[in-house]
Amino acid sequence: MTRFFWVREDRAIAEKYGGEAHGAHKWKLPGVQCHSCGATWGDVGHAYPCVDLSRLPEHREFEKSRPEPFSEFSRLRELVRPLAPPEAVLPPATRFGPLVGTAFGRLAPFVWNAEVLLVHRDPLERLQAEGVRGLSACPTALRFRQKNPPELLELQVEPRGRLHPDCIPPDVPPPCTTCGRFGISRPDEPILEAASLPGDRDLFRVGNFATMVIGTERFKDAVLRLNLDGITFRELPTR
């Protein structure tokens, strides 16, 4: 049976390397002001760096962070949908395009920018050669303050699978039927819903809690075998 691991930043290793990367995606869907649940919100963890919105005549409408009424948010989301992966849910504040910002210093093979997972070209290709499935990455637009900067890519880690209802408090309201907001905090002891987990990829995000990156045992074993620094693993139960 496949084992699954919560992939997080190894902060001690990041401090040891000493470098940093900071940026934001070039385009984004607006947040939403929902007339049904009354919430003004945007999701975190939904990012598609390989999706280029420059071909849209309306691309400038995706450059500024702001909340919009649900009807306007829906209009903008439908403009983007044909360019996004077929299974993308595209909640409010979904990000697109390259990460724009700055970076400096020596960086670990895996680098985090908040919930965004970055990787150098060589480690990515070595993982793919090891048979790790479904890894997709695109160039960043980070400006380095050094000569001969590394080629740093952003992994497009798409949401798949779900947290099991058993780890979600029973008093949490169901998702809003209009905007989809599901106001849960991350459980202290996450459980993955086994039937929802993908079988075609070794790295993904949790669909209903997208800040959580999950790797399979194949991904974990390849990372450890190749001595790739920057991430830690915590095994999660499935049910």
Side-chain angles (χ1 to χ4, degrees):
M1 186 173 72
T2 302
R3 298 162 65 195
F4 294 89
F5 298 83
W6 184 3
V7 180
R8 292 187 284 181
E9 180 180 14
D10 188 334
R11 295 185 177 179
I13 287 294
E15 291 177 1
K16 178 180 177 181
Y17 276 81
E20 295 182 14
H22 302 281
H25 293 97
K26 187 170 184 178
W27 300 289
K28 61 192 73 66
L29 285 174
V32 74
Q33 297 170 322
C34 182
H35 61 274
S36 294
C37 67
T40 297
W41 67 287
D43 216 333
V44 179
H46 293 260
Y48 297 91
C50 300
V51 173
D52 180 4
L53 301 191
S54 63
R55 69 186 76 175
L56 286 178
E58 305 89 349
H59 66 89
R60 294 192 181 280
E61 296 188 53
F62 300 92
E63 294 178 355
K64 183 180 178 182
S65 298
R66 66 198 186 281
E68 293 282 5
F70 184 75
S71 58
E72 175 64 4
F73 161 76
S74 296
R75 181 187 74 84
L76 294 170
R77 177 167 60 182
E78 293 313 304
L79 292 175
V80 170
R81 194 178 297 281
L83 305 178
E87 297 184 15
V89 178
L90 306 181
T94 297
R95 270 69 171 169
F96 306 97
L99 198 68
V100 179
T102 60
F104 64 89
R106 183 168 167 256
L107 298 169
F110 286 103
V111 183
W112 293 81
N113 175 73
E115 77 284 351
V116 172
L117 182 55
L118 309 174
V119 65
H120 295 262
R121 168 75 69 181
D122 179 66
L124 173 64
E125 293 178 348
R126 292 168 68 194
L127 286 168
Q128 292 170 329
E130 289 284 321
V132 176
R133 302 167 301 169
L135 294 182
S136 176
C138 294
T140 64
L142 296 172
R143 301 184 306 277
F144 280 82
R145 308 174 193 170
Q146 62 206 59
K147 294 181 179 180
N148 303 316
E151 186 178 4
L152 202 58
L153 310 174
E154 179 182 346
L155 286 163
Q156 183 165 292
V157 188
E158 298 179 18
R160 297 286 191 279
R162 303 180 65 81
L163 292 178
H164 195 281
D166 287 355
C167 70
I168 298 172
D171 58 346
V172 173
C176 175
T177 56
T178 298
C179 69
R181 182 177 183 271
F182 191 28
I184 61 171
S185 299
R186 188 177 65 206
D188 293 331
E189 300 297 331
I191 302 169
L192 300 175
E193 186 178 67
S196 72
L197 301 176
D200 62 344
R201 63 191 60 211
D202 293 308
L203 193 68
F204 57 94
R205 294 181 183 273
V206 177
N208 57 353
F209 210 98
T211 57
M212 292 182 65
V213 175
I214 305 297
T216 64
E217 187 172 13
R218 179 187 283 108
F219 176 75
K220 170 181 171 287
D221 289 349
V223 168
L224 297 181
R225 189 163 53 247
L226 296 171
N227 295 313
L228 302 178
D229 291 336
I231 54 179
T232 63
F233 298 94
R234 171 184 165 184
E235 186 168 3
L236 294 181
T238 61
R239 190 174 299 171

